């Protein structure tokens, strides 16, 4: 272990549905094989069936029963816990904070250390504490976007943060993804703020804004977005859908990723499939027919806008303790490509992941859609993109060079229409 701050246990705190304060649900422990295991606390299990009732963190993975719960085959920690953990960017910030160096070695610290050293305002309804009896949130005052930008740039360079900048960026370490980001609150709403990266060759944040806006116009249930500027740089703000303001404070919604629904980890993500997700929706989701059409629409839009980063962590569902419901779409971002041929991150039809509408059409029956219904979605989305392209690019103040780069290469690439 590189750091002396290694942790072998952590207590899991959970916001029950509609609650503004968390309760302790159980404990995570690291074993000598590097696995992270969970068991529910006795007091939490006694709340099952009470008012307000406790819920399983996620079933069938962590059913509410006593004792250390076995891991699913191939996993080293429960997937629903991993969903609340850090990805590449958050780990880089924590390594910078704890070790004072560039965070290229994401294995420098243990999983429990990352959980306990990151901010408490993480996606979903979980947090992690050293104590089973006292909840102490690891949060800071709302930082300005200028402070957050400066912090992100220093982390990318591998430069240590000043105490002030360290606190500014710390709040956003608890969210996933590989790109620089942070959490902010403004006007009574909570946002994920995404920044440009030093390695960007075009305006990635504007490209994501355009894709998210066009997705919503095309009928996809996409999270609301807006563009702002600070320190002469563009910042994308995505409104959070896992938080709600109540009379007693902010409530949190439990969420699980599609990767957790599949029972896979990141090393097995290549086996994730839209058809498998459709099967899960048919059996376990509220309003499955409407949800299947929504997921198919997202798949089609990903193909038409060039978002090939539609991996299983970029799909998620709300969990209420009984059933699942698809969250609004997020992380719809056109990816840079050198040629026409492209593949989606998740399999579409059988072993085929080629980014073509013909591949989507062959998968349509899995979504309970006829060929005519699928073709109507294709046409509606293409019309929406073509009709609104100029106005949405104007909203984003996208340069002519970036418009030329995105149009016909990412958006409506001819490869999507082959066969």
């Amino acid at each position: 272990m590189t750091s002396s701050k290694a942790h072998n246990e952590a207590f899991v705190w959970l916001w029950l549905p509609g609650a503004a304060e968390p309760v302790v649900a159980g404990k995570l422990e690291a074993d000598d094989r590097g696995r992270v295991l969970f068991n529910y606390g006795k007091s939490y299990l006694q709340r099952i069936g009470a008012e307000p009732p406790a819920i399983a963190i996620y079933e069938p993975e962590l059913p509410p029963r006593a004792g250390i719960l076995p891991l699913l085959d191939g996993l080293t920690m429960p997937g629903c816990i991993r969903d609340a953990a850090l990805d590449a960017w958050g780990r880089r910030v924590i390594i910078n904070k704890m070790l004072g160096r560039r965070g290229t070695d994401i294995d420098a610290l243990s999983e429990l250390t990352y959980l306990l050293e990151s901010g408490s305002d993480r996606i979903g309804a979980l947090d992690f504490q050293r104590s089973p009896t006292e909840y102490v949130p690891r949060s800071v005052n709302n930082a300005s976007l200028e402070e957050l930008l400066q912090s992100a740039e220093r982390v990318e360079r591998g430069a240590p943060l000043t105490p002030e900048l360290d606190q500014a960026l710390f709040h956003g370490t608890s969210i996933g993804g590989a790109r620089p980001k942070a959490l902010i609150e403004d006007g009574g709403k909570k946002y994920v703020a995404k920044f440009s990266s030093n390695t960007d060759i075009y305006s990635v944040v504007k490209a994501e804004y355009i894709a998210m806006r066009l997705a919503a116009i095309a009928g996809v249930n996409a999270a609301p977005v807006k563009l702002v500027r600070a320190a002469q740089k563009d910042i994308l703000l995505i409104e959070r859908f896992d938080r709600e303001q109540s009379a007693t404070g902010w409530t949190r919604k439990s969420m699980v990723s599609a990767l957790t629904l599949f029972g896979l980890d990141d090393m097995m993500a290549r086996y994730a499939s839209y058809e498998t997700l459709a099967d899960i929706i048919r059996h376990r989701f509220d309003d499955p027919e409407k949800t299947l059409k929504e997921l198919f629409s997202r798949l089609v839009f990903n193909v038409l806008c060039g978002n090939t980063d539609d991996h299983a962590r970029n799909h998620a569902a709300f969990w209420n303790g009984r059933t699942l419901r698809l969250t609004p779409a997020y992380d719809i971002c056109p990816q840079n490509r050198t040629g026409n041929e492209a593949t989606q991150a998740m399999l579409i039809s059988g072993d085929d992941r080629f980014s073509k509408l013909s591949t989507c059409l062959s998968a349509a029956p899995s979504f309970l859609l006829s060929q005519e219904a699928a073709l109507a979605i294709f046409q509606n989305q293409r019309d929406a993109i073509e009709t609104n392209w100029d106005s949405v690019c104007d909203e984003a103040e996208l340069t002519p060079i970036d418009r030329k780069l995105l149009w016909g290469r990412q958006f409506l690439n001819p490869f999507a229409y082959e066969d």
Side-chain angles (χ1 to χ4, degrees):
M1 182 61 57
T2 309
S3 169
S4 60
K5 287 190 177 181
H7 301 286
N8 294 316
E9 67 176 27
F11 293 91
V12 180
W13 289 68
L14 168 69
W15 277 255
L16 295 173
E21 298 292 336
V23 296
V24 64
K27 182 170 71 170
L28 294 169
E29 291 185 272
D31 69 7
D32 54 7
R33 296 166 55 187
R35 302 179 305 170
V36 177
L37 304 173
F38 176 79
N39 67 283
Y40 284 103
K42 183 178 179 180
S43 62
Y44 188 79
L45 291 175
Q46 290 172 344
R47 296 177 65 115
I48 303 291
E51 272 305 322
I55 64 172
I57 293 177
Y58 172 63
E59 285 190 285
E61 186 176 44
L62 294 181
R65 63 170 184 250
I68 294 177
L69 300 176
L71 293 168
L72 299 181
D73 289 345
L75 301 189
T76 57
M77 69 186 301
C80 56
I81 300 296
R82 176 63 182 85
D83 286 339
L86 315 183
D87 287 331
W89 172 251
R91 292 174 188 241
R92 289 177 64 180
V93 176
I94 294 300
I95 290 171
N96 185 296
K97 173 184 174 70
M98 296 186 66
L99 308 180
R101 60 180 172 82
R102 188 179 180 89
T104 54
D105 179 11
I106 61 172
D107 295 322
L109 303 169
S110 72
E111 287 293 342
L112 292 181
T113 300
Y114 282 123
L115 293 179
L116 289 170
E117 294 294 334
S118 53
S120 290
D121 194 14
R122 61 191 73 245
I123 300 299
L126 298 180
D127 192 25
F128 307 94
Q129 297 279 310
R130 293 172 177 81
S131 169
T133 57
E134 183 184 12
Y135 180 78
V136 181
R138 298 178 300 280
S139 58
V140 297
N141 294 330
N142 212 29
S144 70
L145 289 171
E146 287 80 2
E147 290 174 309
L148 293 169
L149 273 170
Q150 189 179 353
S151 303
E153 290 169 352
R154 289 179 70 90
V155 168
E156 284 202 296
R157 295 199 310 269
L161 297 175
T162 65
E164 293 77 19
L165 294 181
D166 174 80
Q167 287 299 303
L169 200 60
F170 171 72
H171 190 44
T173 58
S174 53
I175 51 179
R179 292 183 58 81
K181 57 176 65 71
L183 298 173
I184 68 166
E185 184 175 340
D186 181 59
K189 295 182 179 180
K190 288 181 178 282
Y191 297 92
V192 175
K194 289 188 176 181
F195 311 125
S196 58
S197 170
N198 294 331
T199 60
D200 290 344
I201 60 174
Y202 64 98
S203 181
V204 174
V205 295
K206 286 188 175 183
E208 183 170 349
Y209 170 84
I210 291 167
M212 292 286 287
R213 285 279 292 114
L214 287 173
I217 292 170
V220 172
N221 178 24
V225 294
K226 62 181 181 179
L227 275 175
V228 297
R229 284 185 65 82
Q232 289 76 55
K233 290 196 174 184
D234 297 301
I235 301 170
L236 176 66
L237 300 183
I238 305 102
E239 189 174 330
R240 294 184 65 173
F241 44 74
D242 62 333
R243 297 289 185 270
E244 283 188 352
Q245 183 75 276
S246 72
T248 55
W250 287 100
T251 64
R252 305 189 181 194
K253 295 182 179 181
S254 289
M255 287 172 48
V256 289
S257 70
L259 201 62
T260 293
L261 298 180
F262 295 138
L264 302 175
D265 69 2
D266 293 284
M267 298 301 292
M268 299 184 284
R270 64 186 180 277
Y271 300 113
S273 159
Y274 276 100
E275 287 181 315
T276 303
L277 183 53
D279 187 59
I280 294 171
I281 288 171
R282 286 196 300 272
H283 290 92
R284 302 193 57 211
F285 275 61
D286 293 330
D287 200 352
E289 187 172 349
K290 180 180 178 181
T291 304
L292 287 168
K293 183 178 180 181
E294 170 68 21
L295 180 63
F296 187 80
S297 298
R298 295 181 189 188
L299 164 60
V300 172
F301 192 83
N302 284 333
V303 169
L304 292 181
C305 80
N307 175 33
T308 55
D309 193 36
D310 56 338
H311 56 79
R313 287 205 184 281
N314 280 343
H315 299 276
F318 296 121
W319 164 250
N320 63 11
R322 301 178 307 279
T323 59
L324 296 155
R325 181 167 55 90
L326 207 61
T327 71
Y330 57 95
D331 283 356
I332 303 177
C333 185
Q335 302 297 303
N336 192 32
R337 60 206 280 182
T338 54
N340 283 340
E341 187 173 295
T343 56
Q344 299 303 122
M346 292 209 318
L347 295 165
I348 300 172
S349 178
D351 293 329
D352 190 347
R353 63 175 82 238
F354 278 112
S355 307
K356 298 181 179 182
L357 295 181
S358 60
T359 315
C360 300
L361 191 61
S362 66
S366 295
F367 296 84
L368 305 182
L369 292 172
S370 66
Q371 181 172 340
E372 291 74 17
L375 291 172
I377 291 172
F378 298 169
Q379 190 61 49
N380 174 71
Q381 291 196 5
R382 177 170 185 160
D383 290 346
I385 292 171
E386 290 180 335
T387 302
N388 296 281
W389 171 256
D390 286 332
S391 61
V392 174
C393 286
D394 289 344
E395 286 178 18
E397 299 181 353
L398 193 67
T399 66
I401 292 175
D402 279 351
R403 293 188 196 208
K404 186 175 181 180
L405 176 70
L406 292 174
W407 185 256
R409 182 178 296 272
Q410 278 84 3
F411 287 87
L412 303 187
N413 188 294
F415 181 71
Y417 294 94
E418 288 191 5
D419 305 325

